[in-house]
Amino acid sequence: MIDFVMDFVLVLFATLRDVLPILVVIIFFQIVVLKQPIPHLKKVILGGVYVIIGLALFLMGLEKALFPVGQIMATQLSDPEFLGTTLGGPSDWRSYYWIYIFAALIGFSTTIAEPSLIAVAIKADEVSAGTISQIGLRVTVALGVAFALALGTFRIVTGTSLFVYIMAGYIIVIIQTFFAPKKLIALAYDSGGVTTSTVTVPLVAALGLGLSSSVPGRNPAIDGFGLIAFASLFPIITVLGFAQIMELKTRLFKIKIKKDEI
Amino acid sequence: MDLIPIIVVVVFFQSVVIRQPFPQIGEVIFGFLFVIVGLMLFIEGLEIGLFPIGESMAYALAKKGSLVWLLIFSFVLGFSTTIAEPALIAVAKEATVISSSAGLIESDEKTMYNYAMGLRLTVAVSVGLAIVIGVLRILKGWPLYYLIIGGYILVMLMTIIAPKEIIGLAYDAGGITTSTITVPLVTALGVGLATVIKGRSPLTDGFGLIAFASLLPMIFVMLYGLFWF
């Protein structure tokens, strides 16, 4: 129990240190530039305290529960003994199918719990007056991350160039941008940036490094990179795709209305 | 609720696929409880603390009518939250070790320190600038996709000329810059600004700041690589 309390205090201080620059900026601007008190000061302070304590608890829980398990599982799954060498040698990409499934599932489930994404989803829900549901956006983004990690682990196993995948992804995003409803483009781009923070990055990094060190012929320094880049690109594609599907539905409806007007 | 998928995945793989005893089950359950309570507090704190402060600052700065102060605020917010970002510090350190062992930079202590510090400064400046550009876009009502597509094309071109060793790092730098506290604040700032400024829609114009903050660091880190190697 004392260990837990000590850990908590340490994590709390680390979180406070991260928040400090933001706090300084806000206080400076309120006092020196805006020269006015913060509205609902007590509530805001309480909210700030909630955020810091909540984040500290969250991070500590992750360190105790999720990260060790995730890392052990990533190494166990990429263990040559577990994989077996029945399918044409250890470098055959088909023998790693559990890895792809695991990567996709862990990508999906950690993204659902990602605090940054929750924050953006709450705002999007609020601003769109409920048309973009909180859970809908989170699931769409999580599907993007799931696909990204499955493809990213496949890339590590096969050792193909990161550059080619990223270029292809960008080209898809650019093409989609032309056809997607303009209203949702900004939100889609933002969803790419928020997927990879507190929960996803450490797990994904462990998976990438573990996998690239157990697949024969892969170098962790070169092939271990890139999963994070994948996880920030593919959610843009799924959110834009989702927006396009919604748009198609409403367009059919609009055509009907226009006909009526004429 | 938010954690059910994680629990299902972990339990399924442990019991069905790996079939090995679960390591330290007690500690894991305890940790999950922490995560759940922490997440609940965090969300509550967002609603009553971070979102309102971000929005009220956006309103107050817009009402003050000083473009210079608004842009300074944007830059400082982006810069200060990134320079202290633990993930960035860790990655910069790791990148320095990799680069020096590959013989790309001198392996004496001073060069390594300069390299790591330079990397952090580069990323922090680029995030600061990203928020400035994003805020300017909201004010002027520029369409986001021109800027982002332009950025993507720049990233592709830079990838061709940038040193190979920096590319993986540059791509990942885009993803690690936006921390859990920065995202709600920056989102509230953008949405707040788009709400007060006439003719802007909070949905179309309010989002997009984070997109810039993940794009610009890639370009800047590749430039940094060109400068060093």
Side-chain angles (χ1 to χ4, degrees):
Chain A
M1 194 60 214
I2 288 174
D3 273 0
F4 263 109
V5 174
M6 278 297 292
D7 281 350
F8 180 69
V9 171
L10 280 179
V11 179
L12 192 64
F13 270 111
T15 316
L16 273 175
R17 196 194 51 209
D18 299 344
V19 177
L20 201 65
I22 302 178
L23 211 59
V24 172
V25 171
I26 289 177
I27 292 171
F28 172 82
F29 271 83
Q30 282 293 346
I31 294 174
V32 180
V33 182
L34 294 171
K35 295 186 192 109
Q36 57 176 316
I38 298 170
H40 312 292
L41 184 62
K42 270 190 192 150
K43 243 185 159 181
V44 168
I45 291 176
L46 185 69
V49 171
Y50 277 4
V51 164
I52 292 168
I53 295 180
L55 210 54
L57 279 174
F58 182 76
L59 289 175
M60 201 181 120
L62 282 184
E63 246 160 63
K64 290 269 175 240
L66 196 60
F67 293 163
V69 175
Q71 277 160 6
I72 292 168
M73 286 171 67
T75 31
Q76 280 174 347
L77 282 172
S78 52
D79 188 22
E81 210 171 297
F82 169 80
L83 292 164
T85 48
T86 41
L87 279 158
S91 54
D92 188 345
W93 63 270
R94 279 169 299 183
S95 55
Y96 294 90
Y97 60 95
W98 274 121
I99 288 275
Y100 312 138
I101 297 172
F102 175 69
L105 290 175
I106 206 79
F108 181 87
S109 51
T110 53
T111 306
I112 291 285
E114 190 68 76
S116 306
L117 177 61
I118 296 178
V120 168
I122 290 175
K123 263 282 156 226
D125 192 328
E126 191 187 303
V127 163
S128 69
T131 358
I132 303 159
S133 78
Q134 220 201 94
I135 197 74
L137 182 66
R138 280 163 67 192
V139 169
T140 311
V141 172
L143 285 175
V145 175
F147 180 71
L149 293 193
L151 193 69
T153 44
F154 170 77
R155 185 195 74 84
I156 292 177
V157 168
T158 53
T160 33
S161 155
L162 171 67
F163 175 73
V164 176
Y165 288 88
I166 297 285
M167 289 300 121
Y170 278 169
I171 291 168
I172 294 174
V173 170
I174 292 175
I175 294 172
Q176 275 186 308
T177 302
F178 285 117
F179 296 105
K182 301 285 166 278
K183 254 164 71 183
L184 293 177
I185 287 176
L187 182 63
Y189 286 153
D190 270 5
S191 338
V194 294
T195 49
T196 45
S197 59
T198 343
V199 195
T200 322
V201 170
L203 265 187
V204 163
L207 184 66
L209 290 175
L211 186 59
S212 54
S213 45
S214 43
V215 177
R218 297 289 163 270
N219 177 354
I222 299 170
D223 300 300
F225 275 111
L227 282 180
I228 294 173
F230 270 50
S232 4
L233 180 61
F234 284 90
I236 306 184
I237 297 177
T238 51
V239 175
L240 282 175
F242 180 68
Q244 279 172 293
I245 294 169
M246 289 210 329
E247 162 94 339
L248 267 179
K249 274 189 191 162
T250 46
R251 195 179 283 171
L252 292 174
F253 184 67
K254 266 185 196 161
I255 289 171
K256 223 177 137 195
I257 292 177
K258 256 190 188 161
K259 270 186 186 161
D260 292 349
E261 275 173 2
I262 296 164
Chain B
M1 216 295 265
D2 299 314
L3 293 170
I4 291 170
I6 297 185
I7 296 171
V8 171
V9 170
V10 169
V11 169
F12 169 75
F13 270 84
Q14 283 292 346
S15 52
V16 181
V17 184
I18 299 179
R19 286 193 219 120
Q20 272 180 17
F22 212 82
Q24 300 146 326
I25 185 95
E27 213 166 71
V28 169
I29 291 174
F30 213 63
F32 264 115
L33 285 178
F34 272 65
V35 171
I36 292 168
V37 175
L39 207 54
M40 272 163 51
L41 272 176
F42 175 79
I43 292 170
E44 182 66 23
L46 277 187
E47 304 266 24
I48 65 171
L50 279 189
F51 282 156
I53 187 82
E55 267 165 40
S56 78
M57 291 206 76
Y59 293 149
L61 281 165
K63 227 172 71 189
K64 196 173 157 61
S66 161
L67 181 65
V68 177
W69 275 118
L70 179 60
L71 294 185
I72 292 177
F73 175 73
S74 315
F75 183 84
V76 172
L77 188 69
F79 182 88
S80 65
T81 53
T82 310
I83 195 83
E85 173 71 33
L88 178 63
I89 297 174
V91 167
K93 220 185 220 165
E94 197 181 322
T96 309
V97 173
I98 291 175
S99 311
S100 73
S101 60
L104 290 162
I105 57 169
E106 305 279 327
S107 54
D108 63 290
E109 212 167 280
K110 196 165 170 259
T111 321
M112 282 174 75
Y113 175 80
N114 286 341
Y115 180 81
M117 199 59 208
L119 200 57
R120 280 171 62 191
L121 278 173
T122 307
V123 175
V125 167
S126 65
V127 175
L129 279 180
I131 309 286
V132 168
I133 297 175
V135 165
L136 266 179
R137 176 193 80 88
I138 296 174
L139 297 180
K140 305 279 180 201
W142 298 328
L144 177 70
Y145 44 95
Y146 288 136
L147 293 167
I148 296 285
I149 291 177
Y152 279 166
I153 292 169
L154 210 58
V155 169
M156 294 190 206
L157 292 178
M158 294 283 299
T159 307
I160 298 168
I161 53 166
K164 292 279 163 291
E165 294 76 13
I166 203 91
I167 291 174
L169 175 70
Y171 282 169
D172 280 1
I176 54 172
T177 47
T178 41
S179 79
T180 315
I181 295 165
T182 323
V183 167
L185 261 183
V186 164
T187 308
L189 176 74
V191 171
L193 276 177
T195 312
V196 261
I197 296 167
K198 279 208 182 79
R200 302 283 173 274
S201 128
L203 183 59
T204 317
D205 303 298
F207 289 95
L209 288 177
I210 294 159
F212 283 112
S214 351
L215 184 64
L216 227 54
M218 294 196 228
I219 298 170
F220 273 62
V221 169
M222 285 196 257
L223 273 177
Y224 184 71
L226 277 176
F227 167 77
W228 266 86
F229 306 139

